[in-house]
Amino acid sequence: MAGGEGDVKLLGLRLSPFVARVRMALDAKDVTYEYVEEDLAAKSDLLLASNPVHRKVPVLIHAGKPVCESRVIMEYVDEAWHSCAPNLLPVGALERAAARFWAAYVDGELFAAWGRVMMAATEEERAGRAAEAAEMVAHLEEAFARCSNGGAFFGGDAVGYVDLVLGSNLFWFEALRRMFGVRLIDERRTPLLAAWAERFGEAAAVNGVVTDTLVGMAVEHAKKLRAAAMTNK
Ligand SMILES: N[C@@H](CCC(=O)N[C@@H](CS)C(=O)NCC(=O)O)C(=O)O
């Protein structure tokens, strides 16, 4: 194990972007860990005891101590395995602040926005919601130009914090494209992000976590969520 700092366990859910980013962060730093898939309809005692406040995945358990909330976990992984390349957060204080800002923007705004695209009841409603999400993605296109400094990733030459936070949503974006033909990142409107998404998909830490099978699972899950929402109307 890289870092040699004791046992690492991750409580997760394959379809969760919050979990996927943590898995990719651990893989990027070559940290060996045990992955435990949770059933959110019957949460394990370990999950409830480890995250009694939110009762959500992911939870990282390192040497018996839990760390909750995906972005907190990523920062923890970066610090606990600081000697293992790559650094997830940039080195400079201003660059770190920018990375945290954009990661919070993805989670606080874009995540809910693409969820609304997925759950729209009519094509007209979906078009409006897709336009809202596209505006957010346009901000991220500008952020990429600034943060990447001409490099391949938000983090520069290597996949970093913002790459993993945004990139962990990409398999859901692909599910939206397959289901509804909605392209949140597209070559015409957001050419930098379109090229970035290609590179991100090829990065070693991403392969194995985000797969075509996972996109298929996301499509099936989205269909179930939509059916449940229609029945509850
Ligand atoms: N802000 C949290 C969000 C985690 C989250 O929403 N996890 C969902 C799965 S995608 C969950 O565990 N939900 C269980 C529940 O709501 O009961 C993070 O970044 O870790």
Side-chain angles (χ1 to χ4, degrees):
M1 168 194 293
E5 290 190 37
D7 63 311
V8 183
K9 188 181 275 197
L10 179 67
L11 309 184
L13 182 78
R14 282 188 77 193
L15 283 174
S16 167
F18 304 103
V19 173
R21 65 183 59 160
V22 171
R23 297 187 75 177
M24 292 188 278
L26 291 165
D27 289 349
K29 283 185 169 276
D30 206 17
V31 175
T32 306
Y33 63 97
E34 181 193 350
Y35 176 72
V36 181
E37 179 80 359
E38 282 286 333
D39 174 358
L40 294 187
K43 294 173 185 169
S44 71
D45 289 344
L46 184 58
L47 172 59
L48 298 176
S50 307
N51 190 355
V53 176
H54 296 305
R55 302 169 159 226
K56 291 183 176 182
V57 291
V59 177
L60 185 85
I61 304 175
H62 187 191
K65 302 270 186 347
V67 185
C68 303
E69 286 291 312
S70 62
R71 283 181 285 134
V72 176
I73 299 171
M74 289 171 70
E75 295 206 26
Y76 174 76
V77 167
D78 214 16
E79 287 177 14
W81 286 276
H82 61 89
S83 57
C84 305
N87 288 329
L88 298 179
L89 276 165
V91 176
L94 276 174
E95 288 78 10
R96 288 166 92 87
R100 289 185 176 115
F101 174 88
W102 288 114
Y105 182 71
V106 169
D107 282 3
E109 318 226 4
L110 183 59
F111 177 72
W114 71 246
R116 289 192 290 269
V117 174
M118 184 173 91
M119 297 307 287
T122 63
E123 285 308 309
E124 191 187 357
E125 187 184 335
R126 185 167 359 267
R129 291 176 168 190
E132 284 163 15
E135 273 180 37
M136 296 173 190
V137 176
H139 284 305
L140 289 162
E141 172 87 355
E142 288 168 22
F144 180 82
R146 282 199 297 276
C147 297
S148 63
N149 232 340
F153 299 102
F154 281 89
D157 292 333
V159 163
Y161 188 72
V162 182
D163 296 287
L164 295 179
V165 169
L166 179 60
S168 59
N169 289 272
L170 288 181
F171 69 98
W172 277 103
F173 288 8
E174 175 59 13
L176 292 181
R177 190 194 64 77
R178 286 192 198 171
M179 291 179 82
F180 311 114
V182 170
R183 289 173 192 271
L184 293 182
I185 292 179
D186 107 332
E187 277 165 24
R188 196 175 39 81
R189 278 184 289 105
T190 52
L192 296 178
L193 283 184
W196 163 83
E198 286 283 317
R199 288 190 293 273
F200 182 80
E202 285 158 13
V206 178
N207 285 318
V209 177
V210 177
T211 58
D212 202 53
T213 312
L214 196 58
V215 177
M217 286 168 65
V219 168
E220 291 313 310
H221 190 66
K223 284 182 188 164
K224 280 191 202 143
L225 291 177
R226 287 179 51 77
M230 298 303 165
T231 319
N232 291 337
K233 270 195 172 169

